[in-house]
Amino acid sequence: MTPAHAWAVRGGSLRLTAAPSPTDTEDTTLIHVRYSGICGSDIAKLCPSWRGPVPRPWFPGHEIVGTVARTVDWVCVDPLIGCRSCPACTDGHVHLCHGLQRVGWDLPGGFAEAVRVPSSSIVRLPALADPAHGVLADAMAVALHGVRCGLPMRPGRLGVIGTGAIAVCTAVCAVQAGWEVHLAARSAERRDRLHQALGDVPVAVHQGMLPPCEAVVDAASGQDDAPLRQAVSCVRDGGTVVVQSAYAPQVTLSLPLRDVFRRSITVRGSYSYCRAKGRDDFRDALTLLTYGGSWADLLTKDRYPLLDLPQALADLRGTDRHRPLKALLTVDS
C-alpha cells in the first residue's frame, strides 16, 4: 500500500511528506480525508513572519471531513481532546483544559490523504446539502460559543468585525438568536462578497465603521489591534465586546485603558468552544449546518487539490479583490 502524503512543517519549511503512522489502533481510527478547511489560524502560523511557537514537526489541519477507512461512513473530526479529569473538563470547559491536545496541532492534522485520530473525536456527519460544509463545523462552533457564552444579555444591535468564516458564522448564529446584526468589512470588495454570501440572511454589511451597538464581536484576523480598537469605539457605553480572535503573540493593545473602563465596557474573551451546561458547541454547530444556505456554499466553493496547498495559501494572502473568503483542500476518493 502506498504511504499517505501529508503536509508538514519541518525546520521552518512547509513540505509534502509521508503521513505519520496512518494505521488503526484500539483507541484511534484511520480517516480518509476528503475535505480539509484552511483556518485563519493556519494561514497565520504558516506565514514566514509568524513569531509564535509551532510543534516540531507540525502536521496542520484541524477542519477535517472524511470517511472512516473500515466503514466508509462520512464523519467530521472534533479537534479538541481534553484530559477528562481536570475541573475544566469536568465542567465541560474542555477548551480550558491545561492538558488539552488538538488535532492539527499537538496531534497530526488533516492536510493529508489520511490521518489517524482518537476515536472519541469522530462525529458522524449529518445530512448536509454538501458534505464539504462539514469543514465549517469548527468555525460555526466558535461562533456558537461566542453567542451563547459571550452574549448572555437580551439581544439588541450586534456589530461583527471580520470577513472570514468565523465572522460569517457569528452573523448567522446571532441572527438566529434574535440579534440585529451589522457586519463590518474593511474594503468594498470584501463588503460585496459578504453581501453575496449573506444574501439569504438579514445582516447589514458596512464598509468601515459600524453604527453604535449594544455589543460587538471581534472576529478579525488578529494580526494587529485595530479590530479591537474599532470594537471599543463602536460599542455603546456599558456595552460588551467579545473577542473571538486568537491574537498573534506579539500584538498588544494600544488603546488607553481609561477609554474602556470609564465607559463601563465589558471585554470578554471567547476562545474556541465548549461542552458545558448540557450543550456541545461542535455537535450543535453541525446541526446548524444542516440548514445550509448561500453563505455555506460560498465559504466552501474555493477548493484546491491537496498538492496545491502553497497556491491556496498564496491566494488567501492576496488582495481583497481576488482573495477567497475561505479555502478547502480536497483529496480524490
Side-chain angles (χ1 to χ4, degrees), residues 39 62-63 76 79 128 133-149 164-177 198 201 244 270 272-274 280-293 295-297 299-300 326:
C39 177
H62 59 271
E63 300 176 347
C76 191
L128 303 178
H133 291 177
V135 303
L136 301 175
D138 183 81
M140 182 62 81
V142 172
L144 191 58
H145 179 71
V147 172
R148 283 174 166 173
C149 299
I166 291 178
V168 172
C169 290
T170 295
V172 171
C173 286
V175 166
Q176 292 187 349
L198 292 162
V201 182
Q244 289 178 324
S270 180
S272 194
Y273 40 89
C274 70
D280 187 314
D281 292 331
F282 189 87
R283 286 159 179 78
D284 292 346
L286 277 172
T287 299
L288 285 176
L289 288 169
T290 62
Y291 299 102
W295 59 273
D297 293 332
L299 284 176
T300 56
K326 186 174 181 62

Side-chain angles (χ1 to χ4, degrees), residues 6 43 89 108-109 129-130 227 246 262 306 331:
I43 301 169
C89 286
D130 182 341
R262 179 186 57 80
L306 177 67
V331 181

Side-chain angles (χ1 to χ4, degrees), residues 9 13 16 22 36 47 70 77 81 94 113-114 141 240 249 268 270 276 284 318 332:
V9 175
S13 298
L16 194 64
S36 189
C47 184
R70 288 183 294 192
V77 175
I81 304 146
V94 61
E113 293 173 326
T240 298
R268 305 176 62 118
S270 180
D284 292 346
D332 292 334

Side-chain angles (χ1 to χ4, degrees), residues 290-311:
T290 62
Y291 299 102
S294 62
W295 59 273
D297 293 332
L298 195 58
L299 284 176
T300 56
K301 82 176 187 64
D302 291 288
R303 305 180 187 188
Y304 298 75
L306 177 67
L307 297 183
D308 287 351
L309 173 59
Q311 183 60 55

Side-chain angles (χ1 to χ4, degrees), residues 119-309:
S119 299
S120 60
S121 294
I122 293 175
V123 183
R124 184 180 293 272
L125 202 67
L128 303 178
D130 182 341
H133 291 177
V135 303
L136 301 175
D138 183 81
M140 182 62 81
V142 172
L144 191 58
H145 179 71
V147 172
R148 283 174 166 173
C149 299
L151 300 171
M153 69 288 290
R154 183 195 311 185
R157 179 182 289 170
L158 176 70
V160 180
I161 299 172
T163 58
I166 291 178
V168 172
C169 290
T170 295
V172 171
C173 286
V175 166
Q176 292 187 349
W179 289 86
E180 173 195 328
V181 180
H182 295 254
L183 192 62
R186 62 177 172 268
S187 68
E189 290 83 5
R190 300 299 273 185
R191 179 199 61 201
D192 294 344
R193 293 290 303 281
L194 290 169
H195 267 303
Q196 181 185 2
L198 292 162
D200 51 1
V201 182
V203 173
V205 184
H206 307 263
Q207 181 184 348
M209 293 302 292
L210 291 164
C213 298
E214 279 73 43
V216 179
V217 174
D218 172 8
S221 65
Q223 297 308 300
D224 58 57
D225 73 333
L228 186 50
R229 287 189 283 110
Q230 181 184 359
V232 170
S233 70
C234 294
V235 74
R236 289 179 172 146
D237 290 358
T240 298
V241 172
V242 177
V243 182
Q244 289 178 324
S245 170
Y247 274 87
Q250 71 274 13
V251 178
T252 58
L253 182 60
S254 59
L255 184 74
L257 291 179
R258 180 176 175 84
D259 291 350
V260 177
F261 301 118
R262 179 186 57 80
R263 297 173 53 207
S264 296
I265 294 172
T266 299
V267 179
R268 305 176 62 118
S270 180
Y271 172 72
S272 194
Y273 40 89
C274 70
R275 304 164 190 159
K277 299 180 180 178
R279 303 180 300 199
D280 187 314
D281 292 331
F282 189 87
R283 286 159 179 78
D284 292 346
L286 277 172
T287 299
L288 285 176
L289 288 169
T290 62
Y291 299 102
S294 62
W295 59 273
D297 293 332
L298 195 58
L299 284 176
T300 56
K301 82 176 187 64
D302 291 288
R303 305 180 187 188
Y304 298 75
L306 177 67
L307 297 183
D308 287 351
L309 173 59

